[in-house]
Amino acid sequence: MDGQPEIVKQVLGYVNQGWELAQGWLLSPAAWSQFGLLVAAFLLALVVSRKLSPILTKTITPPDGQTSYLAQARRFVLMFLPLLLPLLAYAFTGIGEQITRSLFGSGAVIAFGKRVFLFLAARALVRDIITDSFLKLLGKYILIPAMALYALGLLDDLTAYLSATVISLGNISFSIMALVRGVIAGSILFWLGRWSNDQSAALISKQEEMRPATRQLAVKATEITIFGVAFLLLMNIMGISLTSLAVLGGAIGVGLGFGLQKIASNFISGVILLLEGQATVGDYVELDGGEAGTIIKMMARATILETYDGRWIVIPNEDFITTRVVNYSDSGSANRYEAPFSVSYDTDINKVPAIVEAAVAKHKDVLDKPFPPDCELRGFGDSGVDFAVEFWVNGIDDGENKFTSDVLFLVWNALKENNIEIPYPQRVVEIKGGFPGA
């Protein structure tokens, strides 16, 4: 023993203590009575849980099809029914502990049984109830080992050892226990932050009376608030002074400030976009650089456009502020398009506008306001008389909409019905000297 490392000596000491404790339990009548109470408490909990489970399931389960908040809360409570058996055993064991301590003055065995039942409850929670992959991983590698150490009575010793080991980084010092506590608390806090952010974003998105830009701004403000509060709580849990962080943060900020200018500019530009609402999700925009598409997502740094051929274009938010942007969808305004065509020189062109305008007005998407269809004479071409019909529609002439194509079909059919010829190029070829003889 004298030549062994310190960690080996500690482990052997715990083994000896455990062996002495086991011998004391095996030879003590009080210990056997506590074993009996543990078995009785477990059997009673088993009987009660089998009786209560069907009743609770029937009472808590909401009717099919209900989606109210109360129904969702009842389904959430129903998930915890697997904990009924170990928690009942824990409660009954606690009653047995009070009896043994009053009769024998000790209750070490039954207290150990209580901790074992609590460990079984934690195991059932991770195995049968938690479905989120991150929380299940956290429970599997942190909660269950911690509860196992608690059941064996080693958790307090380990906590004291980790608390006594201090790490110093400059003017910041913290114990290993604070670091472990921070990792656990940080994981839970930021998971809760992500979950609450998703829930709040879904709730805000349902507020149809708010403008899309206002909804996006509310979502971003909520996200910043949630994760800001989570960060402050984490610093408080770890016991790190925010004054110390201010010094370190100032030094890092000076070093990174020049490299993060563009990111800061894009972030501020994104906030301005959301505040002004000149472009928001669902708008079809075209930038000076030629990029065009529908805004499908506005993020802190950039905006994503989706083209009609399925490509995604990531545009820095700064480009929407510093360059010219054409918004085809702002405020629900209509868009004007034109469809060019030609007729033969043999046509009475005075009849063409009325025929074409009447035909185009029959299209279900062509609007009467701000202006009805308007057929204009554009010029006299090489092969025919050039016209164009202007029309107004709601939407973009691309993707699922084929406004110009539909209008040209209507023009073609209307001209054919009125025996108006659509010309094609004609050329006169003169061969000097005539055709050669055979």
Side-chain angles (χ1 to χ4, degrees):
M1 287 288 290
D2 294 336
Q4 298 296 330
E6 186 64 28
I7 184 68
V8 176
K9 293 180 180 178
Q10 291 182 0
V11 172
L12 292 175
Y14 285 126
V15 171
N16 289 332
Q17 290 179 13
W19 175 247
E20 292 174 0
L21 183 63
Q23 283 182 326
W25 286 359
L26 290 173
L27 300 176
S28 171
W32 281 105
S33 65
Q34 292 177 53
F35 277 124
L37 282 174
L38 277 177
V39 174
F42 177 76
L43 293 176
L44 180 60
L46 186 62
V47 172
V48 173
S49 65
R50 287 183 177 178
K51 296 289 185 181
L52 276 180
S53 290
I55 299 173
L56 292 175
T57 302
K58 184 178 179 180
T59 305
I60 298 175
T61 303
D64 294 337
Q66 280 194 3
T67 57
S68 63
Y69 289 113
L70 180 59
Q72 294 177 14
R74 291 168 68 179
R75 292 190 182 95
F76 179 76
V77 172
L78 200 62
M79 293 168 50
F80 291 90
L81 275 184
L83 297 180
L84 185 61
L85 175 59
L87 292 182
L88 281 174
Y90 177 82
F92 293 151
T93 305
I95 298 172
E97 183 182 11
Q98 297 298 324
I99 296 173
T100 57
R101 289 192 183 277
S102 62
L103 293 178
F104 301 103
S106 66
V109 176
I110 203 164
F112 172 74
K114 276 179 61 179
R115 297 195 297 268
V116 170
F117 288 136
L118 209 56
F119 167 77
L120 294 176
R123 182 171 173 269
L125 177 68
V126 174
R127 184 188 61 189
D128 301 326
I129 298 173
I130 296 176
T131 56
D132 184 85
S133 57
F134 176 75
L135 289 182
K136 190 176 280 292
L137 186 69
L138 206 63
K140 184 177 180 181
Y141 292 103
I142 294 179
L143 179 61
I144 291 181
M147 293 306 298
L149 291 172
Y150 174 72
L152 295 173
L154 302 177
L155 186 60
D156 291 339
D157 294 338
L158 180 62
T159 302
Y161 174 77
L162 295 178
S163 299
T165 307
V166 178
I167 299 175
S168 297
L169 294 175
N171 61 339
I172 300 177
S173 60
F174 50 89
S175 65
I176 295 180
M177 188 62 206
L179 180 62
V180 173
R181 189 165 57 240
V183 171
I184 298 172
S187 301
I188 296 174
L189 281 174
F190 282 95
W191 179 88
L192 284 173
R194 187 193 66 182
W195 178 82
S196 57
N197 181 59
D198 292 341
Q199 297 299 314
S200 59
L203 182 62
I204 294 172
S205 300
K206 294 178 182 178
Q207 310 305 314
E208 299 293 339
E209 66 275 6
M210 298 172 62
R211 293 189 64 216
T214 307
R215 290 200 297 267
Q216 289 290 319
L217 182 61
V219 168
K220 293 299 178 186
T222 304
E223 181 179 1
I224 293 172
T225 302
I226 288 172
F227 285 103
V229 171
F231 176 76
L232 293 177
L233 287 174
L234 178 59
M235 294 298 101
N236 186 46
I237 291 171
M238 292 184 66
I240 297 177
S241 172
L242 294 180
T243 305
S244 302
L245 282 180
V247 177
L248 182 61
I252 295 175
V254 172
L256 298 181
F258 293 103
L260 298 179
Q261 285 181 2
K262 278 291 184 182
I263 295 177
S265 175
N266 285 318
F267 178 79
I268 296 172
S269 298
V271 174
I272 294 173
L273 276 175
L274 293 174
L275 285 173
E276 293 184 348
Q278 297 303 316
T280 186
V281 174
D283 287 353
Y284 186 91
V285 296
E286 181 179 351
L287 279 72
D288 257 356
E291 301 90 350
T294 303
I295 299 177
I296 61 170
K297 192 173 185 180
M298 300 182 73
M299 302 180 295
R301 187 192 63 85
T303 297
I304 298 179
L305 307 183
E306 183 177 22
T307 64
Y308 283 115
D309 55 3
R311 293 180 298 171
W312 281 21
I313 306 175
V314 180
I315 307 294
N317 289 330
E318 186 182 14
D319 290 359
F320 283 86
I321 303 297
T322 59
T323 62
R324 185 179 66 90
V325 179
V326 180
N327 191 339
Y328 290 92
S329 308
D330 187 43
S331 301
S333 60
N335 297 310
R336 191 193 72 174
Y337 296 97
E338 64 176 44
F341 64 95
S342 300
V343 298
S344 170
Y345 276 105
D346 297 331
T347 305
D348 183 0
I349 61 173
N350 297 293
K351 299 179 180 179
V352 172
I355 294 172
V356 171
E357 289 170 3
V360 174
K362 296 178 182 178
H363 193 285
K364 62 182 180 63
D365 294 320
V366 173
L367 305 175
D368 293 331
K369 294 180 180 181
F371 299 102
D374 180 29
C375 183
E376 299 178 353
L377 176 63
R378 293 295 175 85
F380 302 101
D382 294 337
S383 302
V385 183
D386 297 331
F387 285 87
V389 58
E390 297 176 347
F391 58 95
W392 289 78
V393 291
N394 281 323
I396 305 301
D397 186 23
D398 204 343
E400 62 181 8
N401 300 322
K402 301 177 175 60
F403 300 129
T404 302
S405 174
D406 294 343
V407 166
L408 287 174
F409 271 108
L410 292 172
V411 170
W412 172 276
N413 293 329
L415 296 180
K416 286 296 182 181
E417 289 174 0
N418 289 273
N419 297 317
I420 297 176
E421 181 183 355
I422 298 177
Y424 51 87
Q426 300 182 17
R427 299 290 184 267
V428 177
V429 180
E430 180 181 353
I431 302 176
K432 294 184 178 182
F435 289 100

